[in-house]
Amino acid sequence: MAANRRPTLADVAREVGVSAKTVSRVLNEDGPASAQTREQVLAAVAKLGFQPNLMARNIRVGGPDTTIGLVIPDLANPFFGAVARAIEDTVRDRGLTLLMGSSADDPDRERALTDKFLARRVSILIVVPSVGADHTHLKSHRTAGLPVIFLDRPGVGLATDSIVSSNRAGAHDGVAHLVAHGHRRIGFVGDLPVKLYTRRERLAGYRSALQEADIPHDRSLVANAHDQQGAEAATAQLLGLADPPTALFAGNNIMALGIVAELARSKRKDVAVVAFDDVSLAAALEPALTVVAQDPEELGRAAATTALTRLDGDRTRARTITVPTHLIVRGSGELPVPAPQEA
């Protein structure tokens, strides 16, 4: 056998001196084989380093693969990394392996990924839906018993389980915290696209907190960005207004990084900040960053646990599970409104 080639079933058969069918029977435990033959086949497998093609076998016999397909929007976002780790930890004892791919929040790319996972006959499919995606094509798979879970955002065109954070309530709490410290000019820096479920829910929470405090909604205080650099520019734009905000609410962790970077660049330590999502090293900033923290680990655990329940035969109605957020007070959200400068 060539050194640069992966060993095949035929290589194992040749090593033992039996047919490939005999090797297959031993490995799949689906036919008669003597104890001696079984021992010889397993010894040859170990010697050659042969790895059975589980995907091909499962397609051949019509069974599911021992994998979970997870589609997330961004592999680089630590939030989704924590979610994936929790899913993996939860399903490991069931002998399931996590496969993951990034949609880049593109509905066509999401569809291509889900199609690949379905072709592999995954045991479970978990999807963070992209804006504009239609999930009608998953109906037949769900009807056939495949657990399909929407994570972080609800899907479109398919009634199935969804696991989400308390986005609206969490944003309300964060903005109300700024109001409680005297702020009435509060800017909102949200991510794009504007139709993104989490952005819409958090903006709604921002607006409800203002309404509750009898603060008029000022559209000029709402800015949008796609990445950290965009959030820096949006922050500079808000601070450059004739009547600038004294406080800022970040719609997610990436927006928060942009806000903090721009405030540091412009040497502004008088602007209060509350962020939705915790940020790495948030406690080390000056002042330390006050956040409305999601629980990505619980989101992942809830998604995996719900999926395993479905895999075990639960056929009750689809449900939405909402994971609570909580406010972590560290200092940036407690800065007072600057005293007016004398003319």
Side-chain angles (χ1 to χ4, degrees):
M1 186 182 67
N4 61 350
R5 181 172 67 82
R6 295 177 66 183
T8 67
L9 196 74
D11 294 325
V12 176
R14 190 161 39 253
E15 177 77 16
V16 180
V18 297
S19 68
K21 188 173 182 180
T22 297
V23 174
S24 178
R25 280 203 302 266
V26 170
L27 296 179
N28 296 322
E29 299 181 349
D30 61 358
S34 69
Q36 181 182 3
T37 298
R38 175 179 171 79
E39 183 178 336
Q40 289 175 333
V41 167
L42 295 180
V45 166
K47 175 184 175 182
L48 299 176
F50 172 69
Q51 291 289 330
N53 188 335
L54 295 178
M55 178 180 173
R57 176 189 179 276
N58 290 325
I59 291 175
R60 184 174 68 252
V61 303
D65 197 4
T66 56
T67 54
I68 292 179
L70 172 63
V71 180
I72 62 174
D74 183 3
L75 290 171
N77 191 324
F79 173 82
F80 291 110
V83 169
R85 183 173 61 247
I87 293 173
E88 189 172 44
D89 289 345
T90 304
V91 304
R92 185 179 293 115
D93 289 344
R94 293 288 293 267
L96 296 170
T97 302
L98 185 66
L99 300 179
M100 184 165 53
S102 170
S103 68
D105 257 328
D106 180 284
D108 293 333
R109 187 164 166 178
E110 178 195 313
R111 175 66 183 265
L113 269 173
T114 57
D115 285 348
K116 287 181 180 179
F117 285 145
L118 293 170
R120 189 186 173 101
R121 302 185 66 84
V122 292
S123 295
I124 293 167
L125 182 63
I126 301 176
V127 180
V128 179
S130 305
V131 173
D134 186 334
H135 302 95
T136 307
H137 68 287
L138 296 175
K139 280 185 178 180
S140 60
H141 299 279
R142 185 179 184 279
T143 301
L146 175 70
V148 178
I149 309 293
F150 290 135
L151 179 61
D152 190 52
R153 317 161 187 172
V156 174
L158 180 69
T160 196
D161 300 311
S162 297
I163 316 296
V164 299
S165 291
S166 54
N167 293 284
R168 187 176 301 211
H172 173 279
D173 292 346
V175 175
H177 185 73
L178 292 168
V179 172
H181 284 81
H183 297 278
R184 294 185 65 82
R185 296 286 291 172
I186 302 172
F188 177 93
V189 181
D191 52 344
L192 293 170
V194 294
K195 292 184 178 180
L196 185 67
Y197 166 80
T198 49
R199 183 201 183 280
R200 288 190 288 109
E201 286 293 293
R202 293 168 195 175
L203 180 61
Y206 161 84
R207 295 190 62 172
S208 70
L210 296 181
Q211 184 177 21
E212 189 177 85
D214 293 323
I215 299 174
H217 174 56
D218 185 343
R219 292 180 181 273
S220 71
L221 293 179
V222 175
N224 309 304
H226 183 67
D227 52 24
Q228 180 177 330
Q229 291 71 32
E232 293 176 25
T235 301
Q237 172 193 333
L238 290 172
L239 297 180
L241 293 173
D243 188 7
T246 61
L248 295 171
F249 184 81
N252 67 13
N253 52 0
I254 305 300
M255 300 301 102
L257 292 174
I259 290 173
V260 169
E262 176 57 27
L263 291 178
R265 188 197 65 78
S266 57
K267 297 181 172 55
R268 294 290 301 272
K269 295 187 176 182
D270 58 336
V271 180
V273 180
V274 172
F276 199 106
D277 279 347
D278 210 348
V279 175
S280 178
L281 299 179
L285 298 172
E286 182 58 45
L289 189 63
T290 294
V291 301
V292 176
Q294 296 191 83
D295 191 340
E297 289 82 8
E298 183 55 31
L299 284 167
R301 280 191 295 269
T305 301
T306 302
L308 291 175
T309 300
R310 296 298 190 189
L311 193 64
D312 291 338
D314 181 1
R315 296 294 182 265
T316 56
R317 296 183 65 178
R319 55 189 177 270
T320 297
I321 297 174
T322 302
V323 177
T325 57
H326 63 284
L327 184 71
I328 301 178
V329 175
R330 294 193 178 112
S332 69
E334 296 69 61
L335 295 178
V337 177
Q341 296 181 353
E342 295 183 5

